[in-house]
Amino acid sequence: MGSADSKLNFRKAVIQLTTKTQPVEATDDAFWDQFWADTATSVQDVFALVPAAEIRAVREESPSNLATLCYKGEDDDENARPLAESLLLAIADLLFCPDFTVQSHRRSTVDSAEDIHSLDSCEYIWEAGVGFAHSPQPNYNHDMNRMELLKLLLTCFSEAMYLPPAPDSSSINPWVQFFCSTENRHALPLFTSLLNTVCAYDPVGYGIPYNHLLFSDYREPLVEEAAQVLIVTLDHDGATPTVDGTTTGTAMDDADPPGPENLFVNYLSRIHREEDFQFILKGIARLLSNPLLQTYLPNSTKKIQFHQELLVLFWKLCDFNKKFLFFVLKSSDVLDILVPVLFFLNDARADQSRVGLMHIGVFILLLLSGERNFGVRLNKPYSVRVPMDIPVFTGTHADLLIVVFHKIITSGHQRLQPLFDCLLTIVVNVSPYLKSLSMVAANKLLHLLEAFSTTWFLFSAAQNHHLVFFLLEVFNNIIQYQFDGNSNLVYAIIRKRSAFHQLANLPTDPPAIHKALQRRRRAPEALSRTSSQEGVSMEGSHPAAPAEPGTLKASLVATPGIEKLTEKSQVSEDGTLRSLEPAPQQSSAEGSPASEVLSWKSKLPLQTIMRLLQVLVPQVEKICIDKGLTDESEILRFLQHGTLVGLLPVPHPILIRKYQANSGTAMWFRTYMWGVIYLRNVDPPVWYDTDVKLFEIQRV
């Protein structure tokens, strides 16, 4: 029978099923066997031949027929597993089925089903890497079968999409819970297979540029599905017990307290070997840098599309495995993650459909910035010349970070405003360790201060003054702890001293506040985008583009405010952190804006900067008059050799705001992750036009 005929017969059977209103007896083999006839149907065929609407109709009209279709052939046993569990265990078995998804180790083929159940799947892990040294021969058919099974698995897990976002996000997904439990004897090899498949993937194609144009790469779809299944199985609330166990001979640490029930989270949190960390970090950094390679060697490599899934995976690794986080920060390898993240942030800043990408990038940098080593690593000179739509500068990775953040704040779209607190918190966290800012970065920081301290901006929203406090904290940290190498910043502060005087003399009487807000209404400009000398953008860069009209995007839940996202710690003399109790919130009776302004105006930390200006401005002015100078370099030379030792107030303790896990971000990650998975699985369109409740699909 030809394939066209068999498809036609299959379609006829489906139509019969969907139009019958009477129950069909389970014993009517002639009818039911049509569905299992040996038709070589692809997934795409199934979607074409069995429209989802028709299956729903059967469910509504004649549920007994749907049940018979699902259970046909099962024996009626009281103790039989629920269908969902049988389905998940069957998928797990099939993922390690010799000659179907893995290379058979035996000469003879496995005939009996018994063999599949006794097979040790740890010998059949898909790829070398964590806990497995042998890299099997690539096989197109095996990869395709694995991919279809993983798609099926994701579809099973997608129940989460049909539940509205709940404030207490502790709702456990029963499908994931069962699949990642000890009931699944393949949990360890499958976790390892997924992780290694993702981290070993090289889209360049065996290191030869332009190779992907000659060979179609069938690995990428598998790697994508593997990354998606991984992040969904790792969707787990509740901080894992942090691991500092002794090193044992296995890839996973055994000496630790039992971790979470979810074995995937458990295994992830117990990876501890240096070479495993190296393999994971190198793999993720290689894949994240892929879109950057595109820009300076166009088409030399295949452009991967799953960077959002990779960022979520990297986040989970750092969040669940503190040893991995410390490993990442131990060397300058962390910069191989930082540069791609800054590239994505800069590239997506004008695109409304990529707000989620902006958030995950900023969350990752916030998490890293809570560790002293991150600030120290940023001092490494930045020489990578990735074409980015930012001013050209010569400096360090810290300069790159500040220049990109400035660009996001001054030329991103309106919906990014909730991220400003996070962006500046990151700069505050790293500021005590920055040895020397470039003139470009110093000017950007002062431009932000000018923009955020205009009267209308300060008075137009209750939280806006926080941004000024963060910037003053940055300046204070650098002046007190890194004065020596930062003559550029000191010079910029002296040049823009009027901004600080203006803050000190901020009008607080109601008429002045009212007047400032009136002026704002006449000129509704988001932030003063002028007065920052932009300079020439890097060669070969494209301006950040807004989303194409009609682009689909998934809605996101709001993220918690910075005070919920982070926990303040004080750095002691010996470098250890001491957690600070949050200050009690004053129950503010409906006071006038003026009384609120007075309360925070009196707390503006201006003492250090005012003292610096008091000492240095007269000296700089004197040099200019004496030597008739208009030349910056001479003044900078003077400032380089200047000192303020003994002239400044006693240094304040350094405050670090570390990310802390909370139910709000857990819920955000869940909606973001499923939104990405929904939008990226278009062929076949598994979830399109279904009644999704976790997020809304909107058009830009």
Side-chain angles (χ1 to χ4, degrees):
M1 186 159 67
S3 128
D5 291 345
S6 65
K7 279 185 191 171
L8 189 65
N9 289 343
F10 182 73
R11 179 71 190 127
K12 277 184 187 156
V14 172
I15 292 172
Q16 281 181 320
L17 176 67
T18 53
T19 49
K20 280 188 197 298
T21 46
Q22 295 306 311
V24 182
E25 287 302 317
T27 47
D28 183 354
D29 288 338
F31 176 72
W32 295 112
D33 285 351
Q34 308 176 86
F35 294 100
W36 314 119
D38 191 18
T39 51
T41 41
S42 71
V43 174
Q44 276 72 11
D45 291 341
V46 173
F47 268 80
L49 300 171
V50 192
E54 294 185 11
I55 288 292
R56 285 187 206 111
V58 177
R59 185 183 65 192
E60 299 305 321
E61 306 292 321
S62 41
S64 65
N65 285 349
L66 185 62
T68 308
L69 178 67
C70 293
Y71 282 103
K72 181 68 183 155
E74 292 282 337
D75 301 322
D76 290 337
D77 176 11
E78 282 303 299
N79 305 322
R81 283 184 175 282
L83 197 56
E85 293 186 3
S86 317
L87 176 62
L88 289 171
L89 293 178
I91 296 173
D93 279 338
L94 285 172
L95 286 167
F96 293 99
C97 176
D99 296 320
F100 182 63
T101 46
V102 291
Q103 224 64 60
S104 173
H105 290 189
R106 294 201 206 124
R107 288 279 163 265
S108 65
T109 51
V110 177
D111 280 332
S112 63
E114 287 314 302
D115 283 340
I116 235 189
H117 294 301
S118 60
L119 161 141
D120 177 10
S121 44
C122 285
E123 295 171 14
Y124 291 87
I125 287 169
W126 300 351
E127 186 57 79
V130 176
F132 195 66
H134 166 68
S135 184
Q137 203 47 42
N139 178 313
Y140 173 76
N141 290 328
H142 293 176
D143 275 1
M144 282 311 171
N145 294 335
R146 290 165 177 173
M147 185 193 75
E148 299 297 4
L149 285 164
L150 293 180
K151 267 194 196 304
L152 175 56
L153 199 53
L154 263 186
T155 311
C156 294
F157 292 160
S158 67
E159 175 181 293
M161 283 196 205
Y162 300 94
L163 303 168
D168 60 323
S169 55
S170 53
S171 52
I172 286 180
N173 183 329
W175 298 80
V176 172
Q177 187 185 19
F178 178 81
F179 192 78
C180 298
S181 72
T182 46
E183 295 275 351
N184 177 2
R185 68 187 192 93
H186 302 295
L188 178 61
L190 185 59
F191 169 76
T192 314
S193 294
L194 295 172
L195 184 64
N196 292 354
T197 299
V198 172
C199 295
Y201 176 55
D202 177 11
V204 178
Y206 314 106
I208 308 161
Y210 302 100
N211 199 15
H212 74 105
L213 301 174
L214 308 176
F215 303 99
S216 74
D217 174 14
Y218 55 83
R219 201 83 215 236
E220 188 186 11
L222 172 66
V223 176
E224 260 186 44
E225 294 300 323
Q228 292 179 0
V229 169
L230 257 184
I231 62 178
V232 169
T233 50
L234 294 170
D235 177 18
H236 172 82
D237 298 343
T240 10
T242 40
V243 169
D244 31 60
T246 50
T247 307
T248 50
T250 58
M252 309 297 168
D253 240 334
D254 291 325
D256 294 301
E261 302 283 276
N262 177 325
L263 291 180
F264 279 34
V265 175
N266 199 327
Y267 297 142
L268 183 83
S269 67
R270 294 198 342 235
I271 298 172
H272 66 279
R273 285 197 252 189
E274 295 264 310
E275 59 269 37
D276 289 341
F277 286 157
Q278 190 62 26
F279 164 75
I280 294 171
L281 180 59
K282 280 269 178 282
I284 292 179
R286 177 190 332 111
L287 292 170
L288 285 177
S289 319
N290 162 278
L292 286 63
L293 291 172
Q294 294 302 320
T295 49
Y296 48 90
L297 274 181
N299 300 329
S300 61
T301 61
K302 181 172 172 164
K303 187 163 184 176
I304 61 159
Q305 301 294 339
F306 56 98
H307 46 273
Q308 301 192 83
E309 292 92 323
L310 288 165
L311 290 170
V312 175
L313 178 60
F314 180 76
W315 169 270
K316 300 272 180 201
L317 279 156
C318 292
D319 200 21
F320 292 153
N321 190 324
K322 287 300 167 246
K323 283 188 178 172
F324 177 74
L325 176 63
F326 299 143
F327 177 85
V328 168
L329 293 163
K330 208 171 65 174
S331 73
S332 51
D333 287 352
V334 66
L335 303 175
D336 298 335
I337 300 287
L338 171 75
V339 173
V341 168
L342 290 175
F343 175 87
F344 293 131
L345 289 178
N346 189 54
D347 189 55
R349 67 177 193 260
D351 183 339
Q352 300 237 350
S353 68
R354 291 196 283 169
V355 180
L357 172 61
M358 297 294 294
H359 278 75
I360 174 92
V362 172
F363 284 158
I364 285 173
L365 299 184
L366 180 65
L367 181 71
L368 295 174
S369 76
E371 308 296 330
R372 172 181 176 272
N373 264 357
F374 182 63
V376 174
R377 299 288 159 236
L378 290 180
N379 290 309
K380 189 176 175 182
Y382 176 68
S383 51
V384 199
R385 285 287 165 252
V386 181
M388 283 166 79
D389 174 28
I390 52 172
V392 180
F393 68 92
T394 305
T396 65
H397 284 76
D399 294 307
L400 176 69
L401 178 133
I402 288 168
V403 168
V404 169
F405 283 10
H406 173 270
K407 201 77 170 164
I408 294 167
I409 291 171
T410 57
S411 66
H413 56 79
Q414 292 294 312
R415 309 243 336 252
L416 298 181
Q417 204 144 338
L419 281 176
F420 291 0
D421 275 346
C422 273
L423 292 170
L424 292 188
T425 298
I426 294 164
V427 181
V428 174
N429 281 347
V430 301
S431 60
Y433 312 109
L434 303 183
K435 294 202 179 314
S436 99
L437 288 183
S438 70
M439 193 57 95
V440 174
N443 284 332
K444 296 299 175 207
L445 286 176
L446 279 138
H447 175 244
L448 289 179
L449 183 78
E450 291 178 306
F452 290 146
S453 57
T454 59
T455 42
W456 68 254
F457 183 79
L458 279 176
F459 299 144
S460 57
Q463 305 294 313
N464 282 357
H465 64 275
H466 290 184
L467 300 170
V468 170
F469 276 76
F470 286 140
L471 285 166
L472 292 176
E473 206 176 324
V474 170
F475 299 144
N476 289 339
N477 281 342
I478 293 178
I479 293 167
Q480 289 281 18
Y481 293 98
Q482 298 288 349
F483 180 81
D484 285 351
N486 274 298
S487 50
N488 287 329
L489 181 69
V490 174
Y491 178 67
I493 289 175
I494 291 175
R495 274 188 50 219
K496 299 283 188 185
R497 56 189 178 277
S498 59
F500 300 98
H501 291 300
Q502 235 173 318
L503 269 175
N505 302 315
L506 197 68
T508 51
D509 54 304
I513 294 176
H514 183 68
K515 194 171 153 195
L517 292 174
Q518 287 307 86
R519 202 171 335 144
R520 153 87 169 125
R521 283 197 192 93
R522 280 204 297 281
E525 180 49 50
L527 264 184
S528 71
R529 313 232 157 158
T530 51
S531 82
S532 160
Q533 294 76 21
E534 261 310 288
V536 185
S537 272
M538 295 175 71
E539 201 181 328
S541 67
H542 301 289
E548 291 284 317
T551 307
L552 291 179
K553 69 184 183 68
S555 64
L556 290 162
V557 292
T559 48
I562 196 75
E563 58 293 332
K564 284 215 177 64
L565 264 183
T566 55
E567 167 183 74
K568 278 189 196 169
S569 306
Q570 195 169 308
V571 182
S572 318
E573 292 292 310
D574 59 356
T576 52
L577 288 181
R578 209 187 57 190
S579 182
L580 295 179
E581 288 303 308
Q585 292 292 320
Q586 274 101 25
S587 55
S588 57
E590 228 6 85
S592 67
S595 62
E596 279 176 38
V597 171
L598 279 171
S599 76
W600 61 252
K601 184 190 166 184
S602 61
K603 296 194 184 89
L604 282 168
L606 287 165
Q607 303 80 340
T608 303
I609 295 169
M610 288 310 190
R611 185 77 188 119
L612 170 136
L613 292 173
Q614 202 184 346
V615 174
L616 293 179
V617 170
Q619 298 183 4
V620 170
E621 285 178 338
K622 185 172 183 327
I623 297 178
C624 294
I625 295 165
D626 290 357
K627 305 202 173 172
L629 278 186
T630 47
D631 180 23
E632 293 191 349
S633 57
E634 192 76 23
I635 301 169
L636 282 168
R637 235 193 322 276
F638 161 73
L639 291 173
Q640 261 158 12
H641 300 110
T643 175
L644 290 175
V645 174
L647 296 170
L648 291 175
V650 179
H652 54 282
I654 296 173
L655 282 186
I656 297 290
R657 293 171 181 82
K658 283 172 87 87
Y659 166 81
Q660 56 169 357
N662 59 78
S663 57
T665 40
M667 196 63 234
W668 184 89
F669 271 96
R670 184 169 303 156
T671 50
Y672 171 57
M673 168 180 82
W674 279 112
V676 168
I677 290 172
Y678 177 102
L679 291 170
R680 305 251 304 103
N681 283 278
V682 203
D683 180 32
V686 186
W687 297 284
Y688 268 47
D689 291 333
T690 60
D691 188 14
V692 172
K693 295 202 170 58
L694 185 62
F695 46 81
E696 287 173 33
I697 295 296
Q698 304 156 338
R699 279 189 192 279
V700 173

